[in-house]
Structure formats: C-alpha cells, structure tokens
Amino acid sequence: MLEQDVNNNESLIISAKLTSLFRNLKSIEEETGLYDLYIEYPFLSDKMLDGTYIRAPLFLHPVELIRNKKHGIQWELAYDTDSESMLNRSLFLAIQKMSNLHVRGNL
C-alpha cells in the first residue's frame, strides 16, 4: 500500500503517475470491457542461439489497482482472484522462432 503524503515530493510524483495509470485503465475498461493489468515476474535474461539478447517476464500475474480516498489518497495493488497467472506466450513464441527450440504443452 502507498499513501500519498503532501510533505513528501516523491510520494506526490508516484501518486500522480498512479492516478494517470488508474484513469487510463478505467477508460480502456469503459471502452472495451477489459481490465488488463499484470505484474510480470520473474524475468528471464539470456542470449538466444542466434545471439539475440532477450529479457522478458516468464509469468504474468493479474492485479487490480485500487484507489482509496480516506484521509488523502491511498493506493493498493490487489491480486485478481478471478483470473489465473499465465505463462508469457510471446516469450515462448520468440524462443521458438529465434532459437529453433520448441516447447511442448498448451501455451
């Protein structure tokens, strides 16, 4: 949880960025009906067989950004229990294409 502190400049800057993100997420949700926000962890960093450097998240964990207006603004990041974490499909497709390695299973 992050609480906006009017006496802390860094807190105000972070809160302003979170406000912008929050508004963008709400706007996209209103237009499309989708709420897509993920924490990506852990990261895979290495070189592919062709020498291409790659750094990408292995898993995408669905989260929700919550804004509480109690005695100022408080921000909270909550795990979305309605959705499951998923493998980064784009990462595995890139590995297949660039290194000619094939991962079996349902991606």
Side-chain angles (χ1 to χ4, degrees):
M1 180 183 301
L2 173 75
E3 189 169 333
Q4 181 180 352
D5 181 3
V6 294
N7 297 321
N8 183 335
N9 194 38
E10 185 177 354
S11 168
L12 293 173
I13 292 170
I14 292 171
S15 186
K17 289 179 180 182
L18 288 172
T19 299
S20 177
L21 176 62
F22 184 80
R23 288 178 181 160
N24 285 337
L25 287 168
K26 288 297 177 188
S27 174
I28 291 169
E29 184 178 23
E30 289 173 2
E31 290 177 15
T32 65
L34 298 173
Y35 187 90
D36 286 331
L37 182 62
Y38 297 92
I39 293 291
E40 304 168 335
Y41 180 82
F43 276 76
L44 178 67
S45 298
D46 208 346
K47 282 187 179 178
M48 301 227 190
L49 292 177
D50 69 350
T52 303
Y53 177 76
I54 188 167
R55 183 169 191 265
L58 189 56
F59 289 101
L60 306 173
H61 306 282
V63 294
E64 182 180 359
L65 182 61
I66 301 168
R67 178 176 61 179
N68 296 318
K69 291 186 176 183
K70 296 179 184 175
H71 309 294
I73 298 176
Q74 295 176 344
W75 294 99
E76 186 178 344
L77 203 56
Y79 183 73
D80 184 359
T81 56
D82 295 335
S83 301
E84 294 182 4
S85 296
M86 60 185 144
L87 284 170
N88 184 352
R89 188 169 190 265
S90 298
L91 170 64
F92 286 99
L93 292 174
I95 290 171
Q96 284 180 324
K97 182 177 180 180
M98 305 298 276
S99 293
N100 201 25
L101 296 173
H102 297 281
V103 179
R104 294 181 184 246
N106 296 331
L107 292 178

